[in-house]
Amino acid sequence: MAKRITRTLAQLGALVTGLILLIFLADSRYRVLPNRIHSALPSHHVGTVVTDLTISFCSSVNPLSSCRLDPEQWHRIEKDLYLRSGWVKSAWLHVKRKKEEELTPEDKIVVGVKIGRLDPGVGEKGQGNEKWESRPGGIWILRSSKRHDSDSDKAITSMDVLFGPDAVDPRPGWRLAQTPLLIDTDKKLQPARLSTRHGQPHKEAKEVVPRVKKDGRFKILQISDAHLSTGVGVCRDAIGEDGAVSKDCEADTRTLEFLDNVLDSETPDLVVLSGDQVEGPTAPDTESAIFKLVDPLIERSIPYVAIFGNHDDEGGHMSREAQMALLRTLPYSLSQPGPQNVDGVGNYYIEVLAPSAQHSALTLYMLDTHSLTPDEKNHKGYDWIKPSQIAWFQSTAQGLQKAHAKYSHIHLDMAFIHIPLPEFADKTNLVKGGKWIEGVTAPSFNSHFYDALAEEGVVAVGAGHDHVNDYCALRPPPPAQLVIRDVEDTTPAPSIHHDTRPRLGPWMCYAGASGFGGYAGYGGFHRRVRVWEVDTNAGRIVTWKRVECCGEDTKKRIDELVIVDGGRVVAPE
């Protein structure tokens, strides 16, 4: 009896499972279920699908032209297709979109977009039965009224516009059109190109956790002052193989080729973008410039962090907050905006874990050094790290001490900023491993962040900003502490003791500029990047640079220097 009941229940379960599977398959193809049930299924697109798109043209001298279509129906992509350089005219991409459950039988879903002068459905193999619809700007769209197409990977679920012949879109699931929009633009303007996302938004990638390799080493590549533009940009002070200044040179092309070569030869475990990723005035579409810089990192699955320089938001094209929000959505990015009650955007820290444990082996502090001074009358030049940032750093560092003490080796701390600290300019510093060519443009007001770094045991701080300085500097050690013991003290010890291990503050190292879109005209200076290699087994940090040009130096470690050994800052002999 029991066996019969068990068998019946098993058959009933199999029948129900088969019916559910059949309904699910039928719904995925023919949408047989009501919307409220269908919307709960995995095949349902979260968000919206695109039902139409168009371009609106308007002129500042024509009051009848409109730059914005009915907002109840159309969503405008907030990028002028002329990049606000069209004198009296502008053009804007508008998109109609709906949630899948709101679609009516009359709605059509955009499942294809092409750019060209001719109808893609005429004379193109395999598309004779498809009806492509024309839109302004040489856009052709293919729309479907089939209910199940809104669930398929054919459905376009988002659209964007990027600019420049060298534009890339590193976002998973996005496709960038190779043909630019066919709008009447000046040849000097950067071509606008559509980027489309088909199907479901890409699932969140597995959380990236930086970790020391099994051999105990961890390599950081610091890229500073890339100064990328929207479009290929124009080189400044570019030196060729013959030693002469190149007159015909695409800045971004040469910068990215250099970075590609370094990434392939150094294979870093982490990349630090330490400010001025973008040359603000020449990057009216900041998104396009950022995408070009992170694309080779994403392609190689290299985690990266970013802080901002004084040029990143110059010109007001994209705020620091917006840039950080964009960076947070990209694969392999560990960038964070930081606490809202702390001055600046991008005050955060990254923990690099030990090879086979959850203990931190290395902590990297990232801080925003802002831009121009807020008080030009009393403190000319550049802004400084604020008290709220110093308090955040101190409380964070002290709060992590207990956890760091659990690490079986020597835990190390480093920091990265863009604008150098005033201590970089001290003429009494021990200067090693590079050249001091130009004046240090540090803030004229000293908020003493360097002292806080030293007190919390940070062993090195990397900076950028001054393009043709690439040295490392160490503050003079304090005099040995003379400890005089009480004459009545009977404990076995000498009455006078000299402390032979005075505390040395962190090394201060410039990265040197990597980008050809920024200046570098002093003394035949070649673009370069800085590499930091941490050996956690020995508590050692070695740093060197890689240069872009010329000859055998491009393959060498330049100015290699041991700055930390046994967990302590060391001064080279």
Side-chain angles (χ1 to χ4, degrees):
M1 185 69 177
K3 291 183 179 180
R4 184 180 301 171
I5 294 174
T6 302
R7 185 170 56 253
T8 302
L9 290 175
Q11 292 172 342
L12 184 60
L15 178 62
V16 171
T17 301
L19 286 173
I20 292 174
L21 181 61
L22 181 63
I23 293 173
F24 175 78
L25 292 174
D27 183 73
S28 66
R29 184 170 181 81
Y30 301 108
R31 289 283 300 277
V32 299
L33 294 174
N35 274 337
R36 64 181 182 179
I37 297 177
H38 172 81
S39 299
L41 296 178
S43 60
H44 170 66
H45 281 317
V46 178
T48 59
V49 290
V50 175
T51 60
D52 203 354
L53 63 146
T54 191
I55 294 176
S56 68
F57 296 86
C58 60
S59 170
S60 59
V61 297
N62 181 4
L64 299 180
S65 64
S66 175
C67 294
R68 190 179 294 275
L69 304 181
D70 182 359
E72 295 294 324
Q73 298 187 51
W74 294 92
H75 167 73
R76 190 173 85 170
I77 307 298
E78 294 301 326
K79 293 184 179 182
D80 176 15
L81 302 183
Y82 295 115
L83 288 175
R84 303 189 183 279
S85 298
W87 293 97
V88 298
K89 61 183 179 180
S90 61
W92 306 83
L93 178 68
H94 286 74
V95 178
K96 271 187 180 180
R97 54 190 188 183
K98 277 189 174 183
K99 292 183 178 180
E100 189 182 346
E101 57 267 28
E102 296 174 351
L103 294 173
T104 67
E106 291 74 30
D107 286 320
K108 293 184 178 181
I109 309 302
V110 179
V111 295
V113 177
K114 293 192 176 184
I115 311 297
R117 300 188 184 280
L118 303 177
D119 184 346
V122 177
E124 188 168 332
K125 186 177 180 180
Q127 296 189 354
N129 297 325
E130 296 178 337
K131 182 174 177 57
W132 289 81
E133 304 173 34
S134 176
R135 297 292 184 269
I139 298 175
W140 294 87
I141 63 173
L142 183 65
R143 298 198 295 172
S144 171
S145 58
K146 298 176 182 178
R147 294 187 69 194
H148 69 276
D149 275 351
S150 62
D151 289 326
S152 71
D153 287 338
K154 296 179 181 178
I156 293 178
T157 54
S158 192
M159 301 200 69
D160 199 356
V161 183
L162 299 177
F163 295 84
D166 59 340
V168 294
D169 196 333
R171 295 173 292 186
W174 287 78
R175 305 176 192 172
L176 181 64
Q178 296 303 306
T179 305
L181 291 172
L182 304 179
I183 56 178
D184 183 23
T185 61
D186 190 302
K187 291 183 179 179
K188 295 181 180 179
L189 295 181
Q190 299 301 328
R193 298 163 64 182
L194 287 186
S195 191
T196 56
R197 185 185 69 199
H198 292 252
Q200 291 269 18
H202 196 271
K203 293 181 180 179
E204 290 290 332
K206 185 179 179 181
E207 184 180 2
V208 178
V209 179
R211 188 178 290 277
V212 175
K213 295 194 290 286
K214 291 182 179 180
D215 64 359
R217 297 178 184 271
F218 189 82
K219 186 184 289 186
I220 300 167
L221 175 65
Q222 182 186 353
I223 299 173
S224 194
D225 298 274
H227 285 268
L228 297 185
S229 301
T230 302
V232 296
V234 178
C235 284
R236 297 174 63 183
D237 315 316
I239 301 173
E241 292 288 342
D242 58 357
V245 176
S246 301
K247 296 183 179 179
D248 185 15
C249 171
E250 295 177 347
D252 290 11
T253 303
R254 188 159 170 181
T255 299
L256 294 169
E257 285 178 354
F258 167 46
L259 296 180
D260 273 336
N261 291 335
V262 173
L263 290 169
D264 288 339
S265 58
E266 290 288 355
T267 60
D269 302 299
L270 179 75
V271 168
V272 173
L273 305 173
S274 60
D276 282 359
Q277 285 77 247
V278 172
E279 174 67 14
T282 65
D285 186 57
T286 307
E287 184 182 31
S288 294
I290 290 175
F291 281 177
K292 288 191 293 185
L293 184 57
V294 302
D295 182 58
L297 309 180
I298 295 172
E299 182 183 8
R300 293 168 173 82
S301 304
I302 301 173
Y304 56 96
V305 293
I307 51 178
F308 297 121
N310 51 296
H311 286 292
D312 284 302
D313 58 346
E314 190 179 23
H317 301 303
M318 193 176 193
S319 69
R320 293 176 184 235
E321 291 83 358
Q323 290 182 48
M324 187 59 79
L326 175 64
L327 285 165
R328 293 188 71 187
T329 67
L330 299 177
Y332 301 100
S333 173
L334 301 174
S335 307
Q336 296 290 331
Q340 292 186 353
N341 61 343
V342 176
D343 288 283
V345 179
N347 302 293
Y348 60 105
Y349 69 94
I350 297 297
E351 297 279 40
V352 179
L353 300 184
S356 58
Q358 294 304 309
H359 299 310
S360 169
L362 173 68
T363 302
L364 307 177
Y365 293 96
M366 321 297 294
L367 288 106
D368 184 3
T369 50
H370 316 290
S371 185
L372 296 175
T373 175
D375 185 4
E376 183 66 31
K377 181 179 179 181
N378 296 305
H379 302 289
K380 296 182 181 298
Y382 290 95
D383 206 346
W384 50 89
I385 290 181
K386 304 300 174 59
S388 66
Q389 295 174 275
I390 297 175
W392 167 80
F393 162 72
Q394 290 175 320
S395 63
T396 301
Q398 292 166 15
L400 292 172
Q401 286 179 1
K402 185 176 180 180
H404 292 170
K406 297 178 181 179
Y407 180 48
S408 59
H409 291 60
I410 300 171
H411 185 277
L412 296 172
D413 296 279
M414 298 175 63
F416 290 93
I417 55 178
H418 179 70
I419 298 174
L421 302 173
E423 286 78 7
F424 274 69
D426 194 327
K427 294 295 184 180
T428 67
N429 287 342
L430 173 66
V431 176
K432 291 287 185 178
K435 294 181 179 180
W436 186 338
I437 298 178
E438 64 173 313
V440 174
T441 54
S444 61
F445 177 77
N446 194 338
S447 61
H448 297 287
F449 180 55
Y450 180 88
D451 296 335
L453 292 171
E455 289 171 5
E456 301 304 332
V458 170
V459 295
V461 54
H465 188 58
D466 296 330
H467 293 191
V468 295
N469 287 338
D470 70 339
Y471 61 84
C472 286
L474 186 62
R475 299 281 289 141
Q481 298 293 325
L482 186 65
V483 181
I484 302 178
R485 299 172 63 85
D486 192 315
V487 294
E488 296 182 359
D489 190 349
T490 59
T491 56
S495 59
I496 296 179
H497 171 68
H498 291 277
D499 180 3
T500 59
R501 291 167 61 89
R503 170 183 284 181
L504 296 177
W507 275 97
M508 300 171 284
C509 294
Y510 277 110
S514 64
F516 286 84
Y519 75 89
Y522 299 10
F525 189 86
H526 299 299
R527 268 61 174 197
R528 59 199 59 208
V529 293
R530 180 170 289 281
V531 181
W532 309 77
E533 186 173 65
V534 182
D535 183 348
T536 59
N537 292 327
R540 182 182 298 121
I541 297 179
V542 184
T543 185
W544 62 88
K545 290 159 297 188
R546 295 290 303 274
V547 297
E548 187 267 348
C549 180
C550 295
E552 287 299 315
D553 280 351
T554 60
K555 302 176 183 178
K556 295 179 180 178
R557 296 182 175 187
I558 304 297
D559 297 324
E560 188 170 356
L561 193 66
V562 178
I563 60 173
V564 178
D565 200 13
R568 302 187 76 250
V569 172
V570 295
E573 298 179 358

